[in-house]
Amino acid sequence: MIAGKWRLAMGSLALLAIGVPIAARSQDREPVSRSLSVAADAMRWQRQTPNLPIMIGELWGNRQADGGFGELVRLPPGFDSRLHAHSGDFHGVLVKGVWIHEGPGGEGRDKRLLPGSYVRQAGGEMHIDRCVSEEPCVLFLFQYARADIIWPDGDGRAAERSAP
């Protein structure tokens, strides 16, 4: 009986001798953060879709699914999107360049947006985006809904959808 208690005590002591240093090492590690920072020179740019000259740098989220995503969008100088819409609202802030964001009735056609300007585009509403500077336009874009492009039919209403 004493030998059994002795073995139990020695086994417990051995577990403590091994477990305490392991626990101490795991507490020394930096906690995993949910925050994110991406240096400008580390941004991975990719073509948004093969038939458009738009480049995107994905920051977070999944642009192919609802739930929200953030990205940088780079439009080449002289870019004109043509009339289009998106299923969901988007929020955009111009970081670089000069941007024109024209509404469905032509509103904003002559308003040159400079860095720091903000646009909220309602989902389903036709609009045109232009980069009118000699340098590329870079926008920060946030959207709750998946990314898509809705091209108008002959009457200017939403018709064909494509996922960029």
Side-chain angles (χ1 to χ4, degrees), residues 26-36:
S26 65
Q27 289 174 356
D28 289 343
R29 282 190 233 142
E30 289 288 320
V32 177
S33 175
R34 293 178 296 134
S35 298
L36 172 70

Side-chain angles (χ1 to χ4, degrees), residues 46-50 52 54-56 63 71 73 147 149 163-164:
Q46 59 189 354
R47 206 171 183 104
Q48 180 184 20
T49 174
L52 290 175
I54 300 170
M55 301 296 286
I56 59 171
R63 66 187 323 272
E71 65 186 6
V73 177
I149 300 172

Side-chain angles (χ1 to χ4, degrees), residues 66 85-89 122-125 143 145-150 161:
D66 291 339
H86 309 282
S87 295
D89 295 0
E125 187 176 87
Q143 220 172 299
R146 65 179 161 62
D148 65 358
I149 300 172
I150 304 169
R161 295 182 195 279

Side-chain angles (χ1 to χ4, degrees), residues 83-84 104 126 151-160:
L83 192 64
H84 70 287
M126 291 290 158
W151 299 108
D153 64 9
D155 298 329
R157 292 175 294 146
E160 178 188 344

Side-chain angles (χ1 to χ4, degrees), residues 1-14:
M1 183 97 147
I2 293 177
K5 287 182 182 181
W6 178 253
R7 273 189 244 138
L8 180 61
M10 293 312 286
S12 298
L13 187 58

